[in-house]
């Protein structure tokens, strides 16, 4: 547990004998780099203002812990010279770049200082790698000069690879030694009692950054654009001045939640080690006091200009500068936006502002113009290749802890439609959990977890638990219906598979020939002939995300709410594409505008539906499936080419289909002479719908139970009794009605 700040209260004027009032002790400190060119002697030092020692009564040479979030590193207290007092403020501390790199602390980070009462332990043995351009004596002197050392500390000359404190090396590897080094535990070097073991190396590389661009999968194009837009304004601002124009001031990252915007912001900070970083989380700087938010913004921008080159990174920027046209906009929002506009326009020098949001439309439009946020970079939902790259890098980190091959990872990538980067990370985490449960069950005690490996089957199991983020907002279970659950209808199944799977498997050919994939189809036919069940089977077998529109839930008594629900469903479908939108009983939602049943609300809903399917914004990767038993009630505009242009008749089951239905629904009936009975049932149910055939089996089973509640089989008499109680609903007039509709719209 971190110790509390032990800084003493400043002495009163009476106690100190001085009339000078000391300033208030800062609550946090800004980190800046220190490099006085005096070699390694000052690497372990932290430099503060001499005035801070007067306030706290700390002493030079004491041990100070620098805390930044969960990171922390111990340094030796020192002060900068008085000539630097005008250069740095009281709330600034200077730390060597080597120590900052080791702790993962950035220039500009806000840290807390804690005075430590106890000194670190002395190291017994230190293993040191040193670069071949120096000799062993120089390497020894470097370690002596640093004095306060860490495992993993790297300079341009040496790398401290291991530190022992009187513990056997083999025992250390088996104990928590590595875990201790991960918490950056410091040791003192003693010239007489510490043994140094040296190894010559051709190259010494600095510690690997916590976040790097090469670890981010699926965003190569976006990272390349981001690097280009960052490098020139920060490193070559004079080039723009030579052309008489200002360099770019801002970049706005936008996209769906979970695509990697915040990750890019963090990575940009860690990939810019010589840049002063100011990180702002939109809501965190909002003050309850009048003018407090604007004052904090001004302070941040002043700091950025003072320590340029610098970057201001603002996550969730929409919460800080929401559009002023919104009904929820307040006077405070207007003042904050006006302050932000003024600060952006007055920026001078190599300073860049990068914002991130998943609600680009909620950011005030005045910020989204050249001279302010010049570049808007969309972070898209990953496609199959991007998902493969993300998963490949994620499992690459596991090394020998995974048995997955590249073709298996590719297969998973092709199946995870609509998954964003955060979803794929969650999928990997769930697969690891499944793997552990499979190997050792629920009891984690007395088990060796080091030999557990993630398999392809673990990932497949995890996919059943983890759904795309866009789909989680919709409380809808993925249909668990297979083609085998539907009796017969082989032609229908083939047509549906071709329509849905062909655009996915032959997407390059579609693009090369300039052909658009079909957008929608209408399933029509008598009631009970598996139209709804067919759509569910299509979703299950294709692996696409499945959204359903329920007519009664769409209509709302408030003006505009019904249309809003339609737009929201289509928005989610686009985000989780490729996907299927299924509209059951579509005739209730898209009633013909010429019919007597049409109302103003139904017309507005229909217009919204038409615009979403074939409007200005193109519908990519989304298939619309409508089902109805009254196709002539649907507005003709919805049935024209480019919308629901494929009309598929779902006919009553033929003899083969009825046979398959009876076989599936009587699997556990223990029938006598099963083959003969099924043949007779197929003959007696000519013209029955699929649902009526299923009902016949259910009623026969119910009759058997009513005769004997402990029965073990269903008899032929039970079927005959049930057959007398079931009336056939499909008539010849009904079938003629569907034939006329097919002729009218030239069904394929």
């Amino acid at each position: 547990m971190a110790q509390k700040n032990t800084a003493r209260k400043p002495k009163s004027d009476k106690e100190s004998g001085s009339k000078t009032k000391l300033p208030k002790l800062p609550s946090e400190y800004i980190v800046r780099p220190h490099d006085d060119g005096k070699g390694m002697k000052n690497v372990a030092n932290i430099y503060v203002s001499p005035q801070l020692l007067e306030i706290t009564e700390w002493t030079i040479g004491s041990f100070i812990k620098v805390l930044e979030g969960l990171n922390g590193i111990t340094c030796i207290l020192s002060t900068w010279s008085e000539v630097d007092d005008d250069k740095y403020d009281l709330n600034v501390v200077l730390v060597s770049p080597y120590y900052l790199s080791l702790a993962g602390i950035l220039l500009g980070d806000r840290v807390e200082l804690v005075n430590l009462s106890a000194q670190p332990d002395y190291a017994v043995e230190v293993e040191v790698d040193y670069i071949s351009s120096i000799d062993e004596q120089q390497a020894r002197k470097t370690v002596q000069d640093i004095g306060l050392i860490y495992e993993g500390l790297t300079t341009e000359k040496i790398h401290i690879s291991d530190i022992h404190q009187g513990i056997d090396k083999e025992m250390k590897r088996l104990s928590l030694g590595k875990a201790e080094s991960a918490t950056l535990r410091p040791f003192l070097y003693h010239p007489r009692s510490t043994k140094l073991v040296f190894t010559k190396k051709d190259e010494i590389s600095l510690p690997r950054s916590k976040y790097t661009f090469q670890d981010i999968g699926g965003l190569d194009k976006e990272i390349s654009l981001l690097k280009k837009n960052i490098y020139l304004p920060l490193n070559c601002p004079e080039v723009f001045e030579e052309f008489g124009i200002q360099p770019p001031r801002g970049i706005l990252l936008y996209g769906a939640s979970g695509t990697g915007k915040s990750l890019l912001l963090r990575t940009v900070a860690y990939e810019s080690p010589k840049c002063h970083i100011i990180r702002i989380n939109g809501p965190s700087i909002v003050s309850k006091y009048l003018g407090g938010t604007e004052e904090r913004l001004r302070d941040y921008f002043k700091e950025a200009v003072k320590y340029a080159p610098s970057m201001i990174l603002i996550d969730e920027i929409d919460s800080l500068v929401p559009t002023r046209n919104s009904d929820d906009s307040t006077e405070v929002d207007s003042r904050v936006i006006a302050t932000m506009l003024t600060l952006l326009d007055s920026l001078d020098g190599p300073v860049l502002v990068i914002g991130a949001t998943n609600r680009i439309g909620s950011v005030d439009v005045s910020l989204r113009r050249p001279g302010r946020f010049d570049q808007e970079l969309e972070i898209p939902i990953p496609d199959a290749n991007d998902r493969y790259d993300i998963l490949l890098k994620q499992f690459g980190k596991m090394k020998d802890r995974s048995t997955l091959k590249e073709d298996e990872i590719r297969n998973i990538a092709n199946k995870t439609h609509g998954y964003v980067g955060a979803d794929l990370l969650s999928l990997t985490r769930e697969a690891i959990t499944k793997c552990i449960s499979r190997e050792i069950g629920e009891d984690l005690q007395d088990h060796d977890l080091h030999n557990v490996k993630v398999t392809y089957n673990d990932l497949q199991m995890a996919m059943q638990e983890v759904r795309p983020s866009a789909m989680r907002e919709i409380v809808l279970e993925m249909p668990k219906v297979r083609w085998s659950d539907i009796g017969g209808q082989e032609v229908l199944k083939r047509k549906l598979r071709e329509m849905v799977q062909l655009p996915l498997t032959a997407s390059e050919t579609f693009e090369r020939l300039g052909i658009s994939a079909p957008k929608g189809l209408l399933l029509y036919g008598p009631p009970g002939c598996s139209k709804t069940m067919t759509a569910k089977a299509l979703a299950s077998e294709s692996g696409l995300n499945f959204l359903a529109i329920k007519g009664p839930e769409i209509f709302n008594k408030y003006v505009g709410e019904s249309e809003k629900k339609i737009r929201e469903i289509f928005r989610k479908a686009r985000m989780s594409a490729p996907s299927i939108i299924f509209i059951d009983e579509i005739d209730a939602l898209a009633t013909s505008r010429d019919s007597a049943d049409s109302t103003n609300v139904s017309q507005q809903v229909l217009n919204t539906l038409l615009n979403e399917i074939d409007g200005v914004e193109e519908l990519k990767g989304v298939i619309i499936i409508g089902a109805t038993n009254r196709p002539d009630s649907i507005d003709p505009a919805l049935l024209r080419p480019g919308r629901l242009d494929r009309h598929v008749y779902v006919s009553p089951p033929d003899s083969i289909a009825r046979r398959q239905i009876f076989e599936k629904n009587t699997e556990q009936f223990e029938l006598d002479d099963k083959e003969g009975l099924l043949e007779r049932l197929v003959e007696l149910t000519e013209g029955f719908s699929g649902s009526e055939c299923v009902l016949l089996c259910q009623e026969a089973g119910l009759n058997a139970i009513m005769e004997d509640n402990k029965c073990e089989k269903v008899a032929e008499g039970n079927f005959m009794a049930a057959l007398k109680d079931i009336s056939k609903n499909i008539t010849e007039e009904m079938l003629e009605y569907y034939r006329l509709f097919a002729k009218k719209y030239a069904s394929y």
Side-chain angles (χ1 to χ4, degrees), residues 544-563:
L544 303 189
N545 294 313
F546 187 80
L547 298 89
I549 294 180
K550 302 171 186 176
E553 294 182 1
I554 291 297
F555 290 103
N556 194 295
K557 65 180 180 179
Y558 296 107
V559 177
E561 285 298 314
S562 303
E563 301 92 300

Side-chain angles (χ1 to χ4, degrees), residues 49 74 76 119 133 162 172 206 212 283 306 319 403 412 455 479 496 561 575 583 585 593 607 650 725:
S49 168
T74 301
I76 300 172
Q119 71 174 29
S133 60
D162 215 344
K172 181 176 184 289
L206 288 173
T212 62
K306 181 175 182 179
S319 63
T403 64
I412 292 294
T455 66
L496 290 177
E561 285 298 314
M575 287 177 61
I583 311 175
E585 304 299 341
R593 286 170 283 194
N607 291 336
V650 185
D725 296 332

